[in-house]
């Protein structure tokens, strides 16, 4: 499995935004008697295959939801022969089998660090990831520095 790995400064911004978002959502969910959002790690975006060519641009947008999880949408723009690649950095999932339609409609629009989105990272990594239980290993790591 291939992975998009944010550089440490970008990962810190995403981590702070995710924590603020989860705290705001959990406060709202507790009022309604619903189950809580649980953080997910690592804050990587996964793909079956990523191009070996260089990238022209990268964009990370504000959180969105899709039924049972919340994620940061990632758009990668490769240089040659590839179209835009859309990925997701999943940062939270529902603790139980509760649908989150009401949360999706009312998720916080004013969480901390909201003003930092969209993020245009200039440096990130791509790598092959292998999961084993609760741990993961990074192989064939490649640093990408946009111009």
């Amino acid at each position: 499995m291939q992975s998009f790995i944010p550089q440490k400064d970008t990962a810190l911004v995403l981590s702070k935004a995710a924590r603020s978002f989860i705290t705001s959502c959990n406060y709202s969910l507790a009022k309604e008697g619903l189950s809580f959002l649980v953080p997910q790690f690592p804050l990587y975006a996964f793909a079956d295959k990523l191009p070996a060519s260089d990238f022209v641009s990268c964009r990370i947008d504000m959180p969105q939801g899709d039924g049972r999880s919340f994620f940061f949408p990632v758009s990668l723009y490769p240089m040659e022969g590839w179209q835009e690649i859309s990925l997701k950095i999943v940062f939270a999932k529902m603790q139980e089998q509760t649908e989150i339609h009401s949360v999706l409609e009312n998720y916080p629009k004013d969480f901390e660090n909201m003003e930092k989105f969209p993020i245009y990272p200039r440096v990130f990594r791509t790598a092959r990831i292998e999961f084993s239980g609760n741990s993961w290993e990074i192989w064939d790591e490649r640093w990408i520095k946009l111009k």
Side-chain angles (χ1 to χ4, degrees), residues 87-106:
L87 305 172
K88 299 176 183 180
I89 298 176
V90 176
F91 67 87
K93 290 188 179 181
M94 290 299 289
Q95 181 179 13
E96 298 174 6
Q97 297 292 351
T98 306
E99 288 296 322
I100 58 174
H101 297 296
S102 64
V103 179
L104 290 174
E105 294 170 2
N106 302 311

Side-chain angles (χ1 to χ4, degrees), residues 20-21 24-25 28 62-65 70 101-117:
S20 175
F21 185 92
S24 298
C25 276
S28 300
M62 288 189 49
Q64 295 181 12
F70 286 98
H101 297 296
S102 64
V103 179
L104 290 174
E105 294 170 2
N106 302 311
Y107 76 86
K109 307 277 194 267
D110 60 347
F111 61 94
E112 187 179 330
N113 293 330
M114 178 182 96
E115 71 282 354
K116 296 197 177 193
F117 289 94

Side-chain angles (χ1 to χ4, degrees), residues 67-80:
R68 295 195 31 81
S69 64
F70 286 98
F71 59 90
F72 297 107
V74 178
S75 299
L76 292 173
Y77 301 92
M79 192 171 277
E80 296 176 15

Side-chain angles (χ1 to χ4, degrees), residues 4 50-51 53-61 73-87 119-121 124 144 146:
F4 163 86
L50 290 174
S53 65
D54 286 332
F55 292 86
V56 177
S57 178
C58 176
R59 177 184 168 127
I60 303 174
D61 286 311
V74 178
S75 299
L76 292 173
Y77 301 92
M79 192 171 277
E80 296 176 15
W82 288 72
Q83 296 179 345
E84 172 188 347
I85 301 168
S86 297
L87 305 172
I119 299 170
Y120 294 95
F124 57 90
I144 309 290
L146 302 176

